[in-house]
Structures are given as structure tokens and as C-alpha cells.
Amino acid sequence: MLERHLAVNLFGTYNVTQAFLPLLTRSQGAIVNNLSMNALAPLPLIPAYSISKAAAFNLTQSLRALLATRGVRVHAVLTGPVDTDMTRGLDIPKAAPESVARAIFDGVEQGQEEIFPDAMSQSLAQSWRSGPAKALESQYAALLQTDAVG
């Protein structure tokens, strides 16, 4: 089960990015990886999914730093529960797919690195953006700029 989730969510994302990278670089385009709040903290009921989303988030953060000098923007979409086939049968509040899609487009347009497109994920947005993990990501990314200059 873990191998299947990693094949889709990590290696699939990586392979598609690599395939389109020349075009993304030429067009100064954007990568938008649809992740999940499970990338930030695992839901023990679905560990393989959570692990694969965490790995894909780390890939997204790495690509953001590595591709910045090429003019390619990289966005991570960190959704809470959305009313899709995956959450059918779960008796929890869910966001409408249309509102999530709208919020993703808005987040890309606004240049948000992490996009929190629904009410549940938005409740974490500010603490994520001002938290130690985001600060460390920025410090690590700065190492690339220092290395490129020196």
C-alpha cells in the first residue's frame, strides 16, 4: 500500500514535473501540487497516504527553492476535507470542490507559496506561515542563493 501511494503522490509528481520542466522554465510557469493537510501531520487512519503526501510536500518545498532562479513558481495546496469520492461516507464538514478550486486559483494569483483553500485548512494558515518549519525552509532556500553568489 505504501509503495502505491508513493508511486502516485511522490514519484508521479516528480516525473510529471521533470517532463514539463523545460516548458515551465521557458514560460516562467508555475507548479501547483495538490497536497493535503495530511502532509503536515499524519492521519493515523491512513498512514500510507499521509506519508506520501508528506514526501510530496518536501519535494514541493525543495523544487520551490531549486527552481526559483529559473523563474518557476512552486505552490503547495494544503486542503482539508473536500466533498469528493474519497471522503464520501465520512460524516465530517467538507468543502465544496468548486470553492476549493477557486481558492487555489486565487492563491496562485496572489503568489502564496502554501495555499490553504478551505475553512479547515485556513485555520492553520497563519500559524504555518509564521512558524518554525516555514522559517527553516526559508533559511535553507537562502543557502542556494548564497552558494550561487559565492
Side-chain angles (χ1 to χ4, degrees):
M1 183 65 107
L2 178 59
E3 291 84 1
R4 195 169 352 150
H5 282 283
L6 288 171
V8 172
N9 294 327
L10 176 61
F11 296 114
T13 299
Y14 177 78
N15 291 334
V16 168
T17 300
Q18 292 305 305
F20 283 95
L21 193 53
L23 180 60
L24 287 164
T25 301
R26 270 196 311 276
S27 67
Q28 304 281 280
I31 298 168
V32 182
N33 288 336
N34 191 14
L35 302 167
S36 165
M37 288 187 2
N38 296 108
L40 303 177
L43 180 60
L45 300 172
I46 49 174
Y49 176 81
S50 298
I51 290 165
S52 70
K53 290 296 188 173
F57 184 42
N58 195 290
L59 171 64
T60 300
Q61 292 170 300
S62 296
L63 289 171
R64 181 180 297 138
L66 293 168
L67 299 178
T69 59
R70 295 188 190 182
V72 177
R73 293 161 291 128
V74 181
H75 307 271
V77 179
L78 298 159
T79 58
V82 179
D83 192 10
T84 64
D85 289 345
M86 184 176 170
T87 61
R88 184 179 297 135
L90 293 177
D91 188 22
I92 56 174
K94 302 171 206 166
E98 300 81 9
S99 69
V100 169
R102 233 180 345 270
I104 292 169
F105 281 110
D106 291 346
V108 170
E109 189 175 297
Q110 295 165 10
Q112 297 173 8
E113 292 183 343
E114 284 83 28
I115 300 168
F116 297 87
D118 59 276
M120 184 179 202
S121 66
Q122 286 171 4
S123 70
L124 299 176
Q126 187 55 42
S127 61
W128 170 261
R129 290 182 179 124
S130 62
K134 187 65 183 170
L136 188 57
E137 177 191 348
S138 296
Q139 289 173 10
Y140 284 170
L143 294 174
L144 287 177
Q145 275 75 48
T146 303
D147 194 40
V149 172

